[in-house]
Amino acid sequence: MSVHNEIKRVTTHTLQELKRKGEKIACLTSYDYSMAKIVDAAGVELILVGDSASNVMAGYETTLPITLDNMIYHAQAVVKGVKRALVVVDLPFGSYQGNSEEALRSAIRIMKESGGHAVKLEGGIEIKESIERILSAGIPVMGHLGLTPQSIYKFGTYAVRAKEDEEAEQLMANAKMLDEVGCFGMVLEKIPAILAKKVTESVNIPTIGIGAGNGCDGQILVVHDMLGINNDFSPRFLRRYADLHAIMTEAVINYTKDVKSSDFPSTKESY
Ligand code: KIV
């Protein structure tokens, strides 16, 4: 293969450049090799190995139970399937909230053992020291503000965040802090579109929205939700691009029928 055919990898600098040019950034989650291969080849710039794996892969109600070992397992598989996109890995609940040393140790494990390119942490000023410590080790960090699912028991609900002035001002201050300390980007989850646009215009780094309107620099969705593999989650912000639940169910029904009727395997499908 000639040098010209080599795929140019997306880096944190690429994302910065896309923001500068006003070109939107497409992001999706992935948790395994086969899905990551499809998502990467289709052209998204960023793949998040999200702790939403706790919900869509492991079947838990919240993101809290997933462990650092689990996240590393998912990230290892995703990295093997990705040739172009930037792979960001979530630090799971309990792997960074203790102190900055614990946060750094967890981030180093992710980078060393999975081959991911960056980590994401939920929170603002309360985790500033941890973010700075991880950054000081040369590990790119993505922030996550607004609805932060690891704090679901504090919020008590998955409703839209920062609708009131006080929380909106706090979110803006946290966004500026993430920018100033050197994060390469931030997720803005489930906040009013007008606030997300204001944040996007106030920071130098890309904002990636989920349920945060069209004023962000990019968008992210959970891949199982947008492909319709999940058919029991329909928030207003979700656009379904396929109904894989129906397609997969029909395929399995047909397979079962064919096995039971001895139609499968045929002579042509046998040795
Ligand atoms: O874990 C996840 O999938 C996320 C996205 C929803 C941004 O954090």
Side-chain angles (χ1 to χ4, degrees):
M1 186 194 282
S2 87
V3 172
H4 300 292
N5 289 332
E6 269 170 27
I7 294 168
K8 194 156 181 261
R9 291 215 79 118
V10 175
T11 67
T12 57
H13 301 282
T14 318
L15 302 182
Q16 187 72 58
E17 192 54 17
L18 291 175
K19 174 170 176 122
R20 198 190 58 75
K21 290 194 293 196
E23 187 180 330
K24 297 277 186 174
I25 301 164
C27 316
L28 280 175
T29 66
S30 291
Y31 318 99
D32 66 85
Y33 169 78
S34 302
M35 184 73 85
K37 214 170 150 187
I38 294 170
V39 170
D40 181 56
V44 305
E45 277 97 17
L46 184 152
I47 293 179
L48 173 68
V49 185
D51 60 359
S52 47
S54 183
N55 310 114
V56 297
M57 299 301 289
Y60 290 112
E61 203 176 309
T62 73
T63 57
L64 274 69
I66 200 160
T67 66
L68 185 57
D69 284 337
N70 293 155
M71 290 304 298
I72 289 169
Y73 166 79
H74 287 297
Q76 283 169 338
V78 167
V79 165
K80 287 188 204 122
V82 172
K83 292 197 171 90
R84 175 177 172 267
L86 185 81
V87 178
V88 181
V89 185
D90 263 341
L91 278 176
F93 178 68
S95 73
Y96 63 96
Q97 289 90 348
N99 54 57
S100 62
E101 192 186 327
E102 179 189 46
L104 176 60
R105 209 176 318 115
S106 300
I108 287 177
R109 274 202 65 200
I110 284 180
M111 300 300 284
K112 239 184 177 1
E113 296 177 39
S114 78
H117 310 133
V119 297
K120 176 166 83 59
L121 291 76
E122 294 183 4
I125 192 72
E126 70 282 4
I127 55 161
K128 181 173 183 235
E129 193 186 313
S130 294
I131 292 173
E132 287 177 318
R133 195 144 180 194
I134 296 170
L135 286 167
S136 74
I139 300 172
V141 174
M142 186 171 206
H144 185 153
L145 300 174
L147 177 66
T148 47
Q150 291 178 16
S151 304
I152 187 56
Y153 290 116
K154 184 176 94 180
F155 299 147
T157 160
Y158 286 100
V160 177
R161 304 300 313 174
K163 279 162 90 174
E164 307 301 328
D165 286 353
E166 194 182 336
E167 195 181 340
E169 279 162 26
Q170 202 179 13
L171 189 142
M172 178 63 87
N174 280 329
K176 286 183 177 166
M177 180 277 292
L178 293 176
D179 185 9
E180 279 160 18
V181 298
C183 289
F184 72 86
M186 72 186 82
V187 167
L188 297 176
E189 180 163 355
K190 233 173 164 185
I191 61 171
I194 194 158
L195 174 62
K197 186 167 187 291
K198 238 167 93 181
V199 170
T200 301
E201 288 165 357
S202 307
V203 296
N204 300 298
I205 56 177
T207 61
I208 307 298
I210 173 163
N214 205 13
C216 295
D217 296 307
Q219 298 294 326
I220 186 161
L221 287 173
V222 168
V223 73
H224 287 62
D225 297 340
M226 62 82 75
L227 291 177
I229 296 174
N230 268 349
N231 68 346
D232 53 3
F233 181 63
S234 304
R236 172 179 168 153
F237 68 77
L238 175 63
R239 187 180 294 181
R240 279 223 177 87
Y241 286 85
D243 185 359
L244 291 197
H245 187 276
I247 291 171
M248 291 167 79
T249 303
E250 196 186 343
V252 176
I253 288 171
N254 288 337
Y255 164 76
T256 305
K257 233 175 16 198
D258 290 351
V259 169
K260 295 209 177 277
S261 67
S262 289
D263 181 75
F264 176 79
S266 65
T267 318
K268 265 167 111 180
E269 288 157 336
S270 305
Y271 299 98

